[in-house]
């Protein structure tokens, strides 16, 4: 960031690190599992996508988030903690 003074760069870096640590602390206090009913629908569609190659016959929502979840599940396994970190 050549156009910002060095104090601004340090300040932005500090804010980023503080926000990252705050998010990490928040994630570590949450229970394992889903908090909202539609989360199970998205997760089920993602698992179905990995197993069968489609979202399911009864799935009627936009496919973006289940595809994103399927990619995370493929890399990290079916872990909600990995989804929260990302």
């Amino acid at each position: 960031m050549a156009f910002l003074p060095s104090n601004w760069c340090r300040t932005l870096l500090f804010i980023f690190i503080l926000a990252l640590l705050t998010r990490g602390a928040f994630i570590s206090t949450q229970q394992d599992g889903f908090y909202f009913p539609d989360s199970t629908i998205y997760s089920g569609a993602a698992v179905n996508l990995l197993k069968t190659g489609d979202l399911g016959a009864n799935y009627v929502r936009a496919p973006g988030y289940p595809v994103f979840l399927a990619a995370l599940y493929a890399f990290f396994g079916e872990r909600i903690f990995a989804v929260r970190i990302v």
Side-chain angles (χ1 to χ4, degrees):
M1 296 186 160
F3 58 90
L4 291 177
S6 62
N7 289 342
W8 279 100
C9 292
R10 283 190 218 120
T11 302
L12 289 175
L13 181 62
F14 175 75
I15 291 171
F16 175 77
I17 291 172
L18 184 64
L20 190 64
L21 291 174
T22 303
R23 179 151 179 90
F26 175 71
I27 288 171
S28 67
T29 63
Q30 290 184 320
Q31 297 175 1
D32 193 30
F34 297 109
Y35 286 98
F36 304 104
D38 62 341
S39 298
T40 57
I41 295 170
Y42 288 127
S43 181
V47 170
N48 197 30
L49 182 62
L50 287 175
K51 289 181 180 178
T52 64
D54 66 352
L55 295 171
N58 297 330
Y59 188 78
V60 294
R61 298 178 181 201
Y65 189 60
V67 170
F68 173 72
L69 281 179
L72 290 178
Y73 289 169
F75 282 112
F76 302 111
E78 195 176 334
R79 295 191 175 100
I80 190 68
F81 184 74
V83 174
R84 289 179 180 156
I85 290 291
V86 172

